[in-house]
């Protein structure tokens, strides 16, 4: 068998195998051994470490795997990717990694996710001179990282999501190649070390859901390459946003949100950030958006989805001449848009779904010649103005309960795309549609519905394909 399979490079095994057959060890060209989801596999034989070409070993979701790496782990000198994670029994039993792990000098990717009993990493971790990615997601018992972490000078990604780590080692500042640092759901972390300011290659920093994080270090302003910063649900951090954020010269994407209804943000929570292109903000307690938003002249995407207390936007929003996407979905208290919205000449997408208090759109929107998508689904009190008839290239998204009496009938057929759901017209109330369809079946006059003639064939088509029992059984 080994001779017949000598050219095999990648091998995945059936989930029912309880042991690895010896012929696998006689595959000199085998580079990838995929043991993931081998739910009956109980052990990995020692001869795996003697396979000369093996570069990738995956042992994810091996529910019965009781014994992990063979004792001669140091002999896996050619392995570049090692993964032990998820439902693997080894991941649940793994307390320590052997010191010999540091001898895997060719290792570039180390994934140890959901190793629930892993409490620490060996100091020899720093000897993995080729390591570029280290993922320790949901290692809930892991309380610290070794100081030798700083020796991983080519490490580009470090993910410690949902670990019990209370602080990062000062040596983290020596990771000169680190571009992505994810510290989400680490509820024990109180602060980030000042050494974080030495990560000159860092482009993405995510500290979301770190509920006890008090502040970002002032040295954060020294990060010349940082483009993405996420601080969702960091309640203590949101109360006193560090001015260092405003000093980040390359920050292009800023995401912050909280579901706390009582959180009061400082008045200067949105400083001028000259490179900012994407702002994602979701605050249940945010009543009014700051005027300083007009200073973000490079902004192309503004997402305020879920700001349920927001009542209005400032007039300064009209200064965002580069804005292409504005999302205000689920802003249930929003009563109107400012007239300055008409100055957003680059705006292509306006999403207003579930703005249930919105009654009208400003007349200045008639100047939005670049608008291609308008989402007004579930805006139950909104009446479309007559100027909407000029948006012949606009995809108008509407849904249940929308009042359309003031909308010219020609717009319904000239719009680029009329949206349908389950072959029901979405521009009508569901109850009205049911009455129209039943009346059509009974050949009753339907002039009072004021539908354009071009749409009647759509209703006839629905009735042709739907049995009367289906229509009567629908919940409207």
């Amino acid at each position: 068998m080994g001779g017949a399979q000598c050219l095999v490079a990648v091998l995945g095994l059936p989930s029912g195998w309880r042991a690895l057959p010896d012929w696998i060890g006689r595959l000199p060209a085998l580079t990838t051994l995929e043991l993931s989801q081998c739910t009956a596999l109980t052990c990995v034989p020692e001869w795996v470490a003697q396979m000369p070409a093996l570069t990738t070993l995956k042992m994810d979701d091996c529910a019965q795997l009781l014994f992990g790496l063979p004792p001669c782990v140091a002999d896996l000198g050619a392995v570049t990717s090692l993964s032990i994670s998820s439902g693997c029994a080894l991941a649940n039993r793994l307390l320590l990694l052997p010191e010999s792990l540091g001898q895997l000098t060719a290792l570039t990717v180390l994934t140890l996710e959901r190793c629930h009993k892993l409490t620490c990493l060996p100091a020899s971790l720093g000897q993995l001179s080729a390591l570029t990615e280290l993922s320790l997601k949901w290692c809930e018992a892991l309380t610290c990282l070794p100081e030798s972490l700083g020796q991983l000078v080519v490490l580009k990604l470090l993910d410690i999501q949902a670990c019990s780590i209370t602080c990062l080692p000062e040596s983290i500042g020596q990771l000169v190649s680190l571009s992505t640092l994810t510290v989400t759901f680490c509820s024990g972390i109180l602060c980030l070390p000042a050494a974080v300011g030495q990560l000159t290659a860092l482009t993405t920093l995510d500290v979301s859901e770190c509920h006890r994080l008090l502040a970002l270090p002032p040295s954060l302003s020294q990060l010349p390459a940082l483009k993405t910063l996420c601080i969702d649900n960091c309640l203590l951090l949101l109360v006193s946003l560090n001015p260092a954020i405003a000093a980040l010269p390359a920050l292009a994407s800023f995401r912050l949100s909280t579901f706390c209804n009582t959180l009061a943000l400082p008045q200067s929570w949105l400083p001028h950030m000259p490179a900012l292109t994407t702002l994602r903000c979701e605050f249940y307690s945010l009543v009014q958006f700051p005027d300083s938003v007009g200073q973000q002249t490079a902004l192309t995407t503004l997402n305020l989805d879920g700001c349920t207390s927001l009542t209005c936007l400032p007039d300064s929003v009209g200064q965002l001449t580069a804005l292409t996407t504005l999302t205000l979905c689920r802003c249930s208290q929003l009563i109107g848009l400012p007239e300055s919205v008409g100055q957003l000449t680059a705006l292509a997408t306006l999403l207003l779904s579930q703005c249930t208090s919105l009654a009208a759109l400003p007349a200045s929107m008639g100047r939005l010649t670049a608008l291609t998508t308008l989402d007004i689904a579930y805006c139950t009190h909104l009446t479309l103005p007559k100027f909407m008839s000029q948006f012949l290239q606009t995809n108008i998204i509407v849904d249940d309960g929308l009042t359309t009496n003031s909308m010219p009938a020609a717009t319904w057929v000239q719009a680029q795309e009329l949206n349908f759901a389950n072959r029901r017209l979405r521009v009508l109330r569901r109850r009205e549609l049911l009455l129209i369809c039943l009346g059509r079946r009974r050949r009753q006059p339907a002039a009072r519905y004021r539908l354009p003639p071009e749409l009647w064939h759509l209703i006839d088509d629905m009735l042709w394909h739907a049995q009367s029992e289906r229509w009567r059984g629908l919940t409207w």
Side-chain angles (χ1 to χ4, degrees), residues 157-199:
L157 182 147
L158 176 59
D159 192 339
I160 55 172
Q161 175 181 328
C163 294
S164 297
I165 294 173
T166 56
C167 62
L168 297 177
E170 286 291 335
S171 62
I172 195 173
Q174 302 172 23
L175 303 178
V176 293
S177 300
L178 192 67
S179 61
T180 301
L181 176 59
T182 303
V183 198
T184 55
F185 292 94
C186 292
S187 56
I189 287 188
L190 301 178
C191 61
L192 298 181
V196 169
Q198 303 173 23
L199 302 176

Side-chain angles (χ1 to χ4, degrees), residues 345-365:
T345 55
L347 190 66
T349 301
L350 178 58
L351 306 180
L352 301 170
S353 65
Q354 301 184 53
C355 292
T356 52
S357 299
L358 190 63
L361 298 177
S364 61
M365 281 186 57

Side-chain angles (χ1 to χ4, degrees), residues 78 80 132 135 241 248 443:
T80 60
T132 59
S135 179
L241 288 176
L248 292 169
R443 301 189 180 279

Side-chain angles (χ1 to χ4, degrees), residues 23 44 106-107 112 147 151 159 162 178 188 192 210 228 316 328 360 364 367 387 393 421 449:
W23 60 261
V44 177
L107 196 65
L112 300 170
E147 283 291 333
Q151 301 175 24
D159 192 339
L178 192 67
L192 298 181
C210 292
T228 302
S316 61
L328 297 167
S364 61
R367 300 196 298 268
F387 68 77
Q393 300 301 318
Y449 296 108

Side-chain angles (χ1 to χ4, degrees), residues 227 229 251-255 273 275-281 298-303:
K227 295 182 179 180
L229 177 62
L251 188 63
S253 178
F254 188 26
R255 195 182 75 199
M273 292 174 275
L276 192 67
T277 59
T278 302
L279 176 60
R280 171 72 169 90
C281 173
L299 202 65
T300 60
T301 301
L302 176 58
N303 191 333

Side-chain angles (χ1 to χ4, degrees), residues 91-112:
N92 294 325
R93 301 175 71 251
L94 190 62
L95 300 177
L96 297 171
L97 291 175
E99 284 292 334
S100 57
L101 180 72
Q103 300 182 36
L104 302 179
T105 54
L107 196 65
T108 60
V109 177
L110 177 58
T111 303
L112 300 170

Side-chain angles (χ1 to χ4, degrees), residues 196-273:
V196 169
Q198 303 173 23
L199 302 176
T200 55
L202 193 66
T203 60
T204 301
L205 174 61
D206 191 348
V207 294
S208 300
E209 307 291 343
C210 292
H211 303 299
R212 300 179 65 190
L213 186 62
L214 297 174
L216 296 175
S219 61
L220 195 73
S221 60
Q222 303 172 18
L223 300 178
L226 190 64
K227 295 182 179 180
T228 302
L229 177 62
C230 304
I231 56 175
D232 291 341
N233 283 318
C234 298
L235 299 183
L236 300 178
L237 179 60
L238 291 171
V239 172
S240 57
L241 288 176
N242 197 305
I245 296 176
L248 292 169
L251 188 63
S253 178
F254 188 26
R255 195 182 75 199
L256 64 167
S257 67
T258 180
F259 302 124
C260 179
N261 291 323
T262 60
L263 180 67
L265 291 175
Q267 293 183 353
S268 59
W269 70 269
L270 185 60
H272 175 47
M273 292 174 275

Side-chain angles (χ1 to χ4, degrees), residues 118 162 174 318 333:
L118 183 64
Q174 302 172 23
Q333 300 299 317

